[in-house]
Amino acid sequence: MKTPQPIRQAMILAAGKGTRMRPLTLTTPKPLVIVGTQPLIVWHILALQKIGITRVVVNVGWLGEKLVNTLGDGSKFGVELVWSREDLLPLVAGQTQAEPLETAGGIRYALGQGLLQDAPFILINGDVWTGFDLATVAQKTLNPNILAHLLLTDKAEHNPQGDFALAGELVALDGVKKHTFAGISVLSPCLFDGVALGETKALAPILKQVIANKQVTGELMTADWVDVGTLERLDKLNQKLQKS
């Protein structure tokens, strides 16, 4: 019997426009907004490097060139940053700039380009912040029938109704207590078999379908967590970090 291997690859979703954080994000990509003393995305890169992730794929769209120029090849962080350039996709009729492929579409594009290997990977939304130690996530193995493992949180003040429930280790669509998806997960590439290369498609409907099929496990994390989706939340988080 093979010994489960730790996960050695990750992807950070960083292609969004960050419209709720304008005017800041008109000139600064949301993953580069400063949280504490460093860009938001650097928190994720360093957390991944700390647990031994050596290859991190980052998809970029809005102001993608700024992200690439600021972060480079990742060597200064001790990782290899691999860029999935959705901003350089061919334009379709009526477009003045390439539109992001959404979450599932962006992941499928990275898989199709060979940027992600055909093995489970850690996925992190580029607009969340947490102090959670990802070490246990890197050791997570997905059984053949399990296509995803989600981290859930009760720290989302903006989403009191939650997203998903836990039924033992399985994630459920409904339950007595629902938690918010923390934007951190371990995903199987098989999850994206039904997404066409270059298709614009969100991840949430795909997750809901496999959750309904009892193919998703999850855990509730207790660490601090913030969806840095508005200027107000960004300011509140920075005030908190200044005091800590």
Side-chain angles (χ1 to χ4, degrees):
M1 183 175 180
K2 283 187 176 181
T3 302
Q5 296 298 309
I7 296 171
R8 283 291 176 260
Q9 61 175 352
M11 182 170 182
I12 300 174
L13 298 174
K17 293 182 178 179
T19 53
R20 292 178 298 163
M21 297 186 73
R22 290 181 176 175
L24 176 60
T25 48
L26 288 173
T27 55
T28 301
K30 184 161 59 170
L32 288 183
V33 300
I34 300 300
V35 172
T37 58
Q38 61 194 7
L40 176 57
I41 193 171
V42 173
W43 288 89
H44 300 318
I45 294 170
L46 293 178
L48 290 166
Q49 188 274 338
K50 178 183 176 183
I51 62 169
I53 299 295
T54 56
R55 180 181 174 89
V56 181
V57 177
V58 183
N59 72 328
V60 294
W62 175 250
L63 301 176
E65 196 70 27
K66 284 194 173 184
L67 271 160
V68 174
N69 290 340
T70 300
L71 302 176
D73 63 3
S75 56
K76 59 187 172 184
F77 307 111
V79 301
E80 177 190 7
L81 288 183
V82 182
W83 298 99
S84 184
R85 297 294 300 269
E86 295 178 27
D87 55 329
L88 300 182
L89 287 169
L91 300 180
V92 299
Q95 281 187 342
T96 56
Q97 62 183 36
E99 292 295 322
L101 297 174
E102 295 288 352
T103 42
I107 295 165
R108 176 66 180 88
Y109 183 72
L111 285 164
Q113 298 299 305
L115 305 181
L116 282 170
Q117 300 171 358
D118 187 18
F121 57 94
I122 296 173
L123 181 73
I124 302 179
N125 290 0
D127 56 1
V128 301
W129 176 91
T130 181
F132 184 76
D133 186 343
L134 296 172
T136 56
V137 179
Q139 298 298 323
K140 190 67 187 177
T141 56
L142 300 179
N143 296 329
N145 189 50
I146 299 299
L147 298 178
H149 180 78
L150 308 185
L151 265 59
L152 307 178
T153 179
D154 284 336
K155 306 290 186 180
E157 297 177 3
H158 66 285
N159 186 34
Q161 301 304 313
D163 300 314
F164 306 122
L166 281 171
E169 291 188 349
L170 287 176
V171 175
L173 295 176
D174 295 297
V176 175
K177 172 66 175 175
K178 293 176 73 173
H179 317 283
T180 296
F181 175 39
I184 303 172
S185 55
V186 175
L187 303 181
S188 165
C190 298
L191 194 62
F192 306 94
D193 287 349
V195 182
L197 187 63
E199 180 182 359
T200 299
K201 192 173 184 66
L203 178 59
I206 297 175
L207 284 179
K208 288 179 180 178
Q209 181 59 57
V210 291
I211 287 171
N213 293 340
K214 298 184 178 180
Q215 292 178 288
V216 179
T217 58
E219 62 184 284
L220 182 64
M221 66 180 201
T222 59
D224 286 343
W225 178 92
V226 178
D227 174 354
V228 191
T230 66
L231 292 173
E232 181 182 5
R233 286 184 219 150
L234 173 63
D235 184 58
K236 187 175 179 180
L237 174 57
N238 274 324
Q239 289 182 36
K240 179 178 181 178
L241 290 174
Q242 287 172 8
K243 294 176 182 177
S244 63

